[in-house]
Amino acid sequence: MPTKNYAGTRYSELAEINTENVKNLQVAFTFSLGVNRGQESSPLVVGGTLYVVSPYPNILYALDLTQPGAPLKWQYNPKAMAASQGVACCDTVNRGPTYADGKIFFNTLDAYTVAVNAETGEELWKTKIGEINMGETMTMAPLVAKDKVLVGISGGEYGVRGFIEALDANTGRSVWKAYSTGPDQDVKIGPSFKPFYDQDKGKDLGVATWPPSAWQQGGGSVWGFVTYDPDQNLIFYGTGNPGPWNPNQRPGDNKWTAGVFARDLDTGEARWYYQWNAHDLHDWDGINENILVDLTWNGQPRKVLVHPDRNGLLYIVDRTTGEVLSANFYHAVNSHTGVDLSTGKVKVVADKYPVQGRVLRGVCPTAPGAKDWSPSAFSHKSGLLYIPHNNLCMDWESMEANYIAGTPYVGAEVRSIPGPGGHMGELSAWDLIQGKEVWTINERFPVWGGVVATAGDLIFYGNMEGWFKAVDARTGEVLWQFKTSSGIIGQPTTYRGPDGKQYVAILSGVGGWAGSIVSGDLDPRDGTAALGFVNAMRDLKNVTTKGGTLYVFKLP
Amino acid sequence: MNRIVAPAGIFLLLVLGACEREERAFRADPIATETEEKIALVPLSPGSGPPVEHRTGKGKEYEDNAYHVAQGKRLYTWFNCNGCHSNGGGGSGPPLMDDRWIYGGQIENIVQTIREGRPNGMPSFRGKVPDDQIWELAAYVRSMSGNVAKDVAPGRNDDMHPRPAENREPDSPPVAGGSIPPSAEMPQ
């Protein structure tokens, strides 16, 4: 699976490539995906086969690793509707396939979940999850746990009503479905729901914390990575921003958007919930990864989840109760002053509260947040968390948004600007116990892809200029780098090949929200293009071009 | 005497002349009617000479009229066009302020694009937006790339200043090239 394990650590025990020999890393083979859009996906290796899925039209390729040059074994084209590209907010990305029990599962942009025979490429089932005419698309990587495939809907910029759904892995039939807004019954909140904070207790808060009927198009999409704790039989996932972005149109806490749910895998019943950003002000989806780690906290063993949020805070949450143990800033923030640990609420700075028709200047962090979807890795060896993130601020003006089903529902003009220091991205190593940064690497552009940590004390990641890098996990020293054909926004994979050797794989191909100026041929003269990201990314066109290539590296 | 009247007369003529940019039919066509524009999507037509086209003249009526273009600008936000195309720079949809037009840059092409939709994500708005408003939208879209007269195009916004105002936009007539065709974006 793209997250490497249920805990989502993205930590590999492979240590053949280490800090000493990584400088010799060289290209083993490459493969063109034939689609020049943002490559946010993760190559997946099962046995002797490498699977990779392209951005729209979401073609799944299987490469035979047992043969020299890894020739194509088969390809499967789900023939997703071309029109779905028009309701995908931020490039036509896909975040990866996943494997279980002889099947490859992935989602298509036109909102189907597909299961394919991993040996033959034959379609086993295909289930419609959402409706593109309502603005619903799918971009996330499914998680398979026991016999269930967990998938969620994208479309937080189109006024969708977000949900997560569990499908039977063998048949594709729906087992349960839980919405992110609306009455308790729809949200699957029942007697077993025991949130830690008072703000999350009460009846039908998914209705009561909204203006009348606004929850019906209230967002809370589910498009990040899902993690699973087998001991508690709980899944953890975040919910997206409330719709529209303009907060003046939706007074209230807007439950259950921009938070994290713990649900029973078998029934979907919610166990607890915590809202990262009540009444979200700046498009801060709560979908960033929840990595499951067992820590010794103040002398006590605690089962926690670790979550770097868009709001610039690194949360450590007790995953059995939903109690926030700590929340420290990993990014320069001026729009709030952190969390009040007694109530669980973020303390908002009053003059950064958007008022309709007024331009707020220099709000930090920006709409994509201190960190967007780009998944972190946790190394059990170094004990550090490696966070790929942004360094961006913005100007923001709230405007009235009209809800027209299937069209954008945003209501904000945004211009992103580089954060303090002028660089726009960072890879930071974070000490969870001390609650502070150990080292950081500044990047010119946002670090929009994922990270892999290995037992060889290496961290792999790529930047939007196209460099794929190996970094010393303890010092942050760049030990090796290779310039790929296009900017990197993908998730690296490391695997042991059929020949017993360790390989590292990455997709190169710029795009995503940050890179859509290149992948979507946008006009840099309009700073508000791509929901305001273009303002900061004007130079990207001079640095890289579109691409779609898999690179695989090995030692000589 | 004549020395005063002549300049005054010329001045009056100029003032009245400028009113043309405001002149319009006050009763719009019925909502469901559509003009029958005979328009080509491409400059290519076998043999010598361009494709055969016939325009009803409605396009010019809208494009040359400040009221229609201003209404188009209001409707552009009202119908959430800006959600995909931003203030002309594009987003999930292509930019509208540049000189590249995948489906044709004449106002009749743009009207067709809004009415019928286009295969890679442009929705069809036929039956959702009244026809005269589609023409107003298309006229405004033309102004985003400086393709209407300067005295017709809108001035700068009262809101966040995202780009130079439409009436300061340099003329950038449609160029039939420079875009990557969909066939280069995906395997067939």
Side-chain angles (χ1 to χ4, degrees), chain A residues 23-36:
Chain A
K23 62 178 187 289
N24 301 322
L25 218 52
Q26 56 179 233
V27 175
F29 64 90
T30 63
F31 175 77
S32 167
L33 273 68
V35 184
N36 288 335

Side-chain angles (χ1 to χ4, degrees), chain A residues 34-37 56 59 61 82-83 85-86 88 158 395 397 402 407-408 413 415 521-523 525-530 546, chain B residues 78-80 83-84 86-93 95 97-98 119-121 159-163 169 180 184-187:
Chain A
V35 184
N36 288 335
R37 297 298 291 235
Y56 176 84
I59 296 166
Y61 298 99
Q85 296 171 93
Y158 296 81
D395 299 338
E397 181 185 2
N402 290 330
T407 70
E413 293 280 22
R415 280 189 304 223
D521 294 313
L522 307 187
D523 195 313
R525 287 173 294 170
D526 175 7
T528 61
K546 302 181 207 194
Chain B
W78 193 251
F79 288 123
N80 297 338
C84 296
S86 306
N87 289 287
S92 58
M97 64 195 290
D98 64 9
N120 285 303
D159 298 294
M160 187 189 281
H161 191 44
R163 49 164 286 200
E169 190 68 29
I180 293 158
E185 293 275 347
M186 70 175 84

Side-chain angles (χ1 to χ4, degrees), chain A residues 408-425:
Chain A
Y409 189 47
V410 174
E413 293 280 22
V414 178
R415 280 189 304 223
S416 284
I417 47 179
H423 58 285
M424 291 187 268

Side-chain angles (χ1 to χ4, degrees), chain A residues 270-313:
Chain A
R271 181 71 55 84
W272 58 262
Y273 167 90
Y274 171 69
Q275 196 165 28
W276 313 117
N277 295 291
H279 184 57
D280 162 53
L281 302 177
H282 303 297
D283 177 39
W284 292 341
D285 293 67
I287 62 89
N288 288 0
E289 66 279 12
N290 301 298
I291 299 176
L292 312 185
V293 181
D294 294 345
L295 287 182
T296 305
W297 189 262
N298 295 337
Q300 302 287 322
R302 298 294 286 260
K303 286 169 173 284
V304 303
L305 67 79
V306 177
H307 170 91
D309 195 71
R310 280 199 184 186
N311 68 14
L313 292 168

Side-chain angles (χ1 to χ4, degrees), chain A residues 451-508:
Chain A
V451 175
V452 155
T454 75
D457 263 335
L458 291 171
I459 305 301
F460 290 96
Y461 81 105
N463 72 18
M464 292 184 76
E465 291 161 75
W467 288 99
F468 186 54
K469 301 185 184 184
V471 174
D472 187 315
R474 291 171 200 277
T475 65
E477 189 192 345
V478 178
L479 300 173
W480 169 85
Q481 58 181 348
F482 180 89
K483 182 73 156 52
T484 63
S485 54
S486 172
I488 294 173
I489 57 164
Q491 308 163 51
T493 300
T494 185
Y495 65 91
R496 191 191 302 279
D499 58 358
K501 296 249 188 331
Q502 186 185 354
Y503 291 77
V504 185
I506 185 73
L507 287 173
S508 164

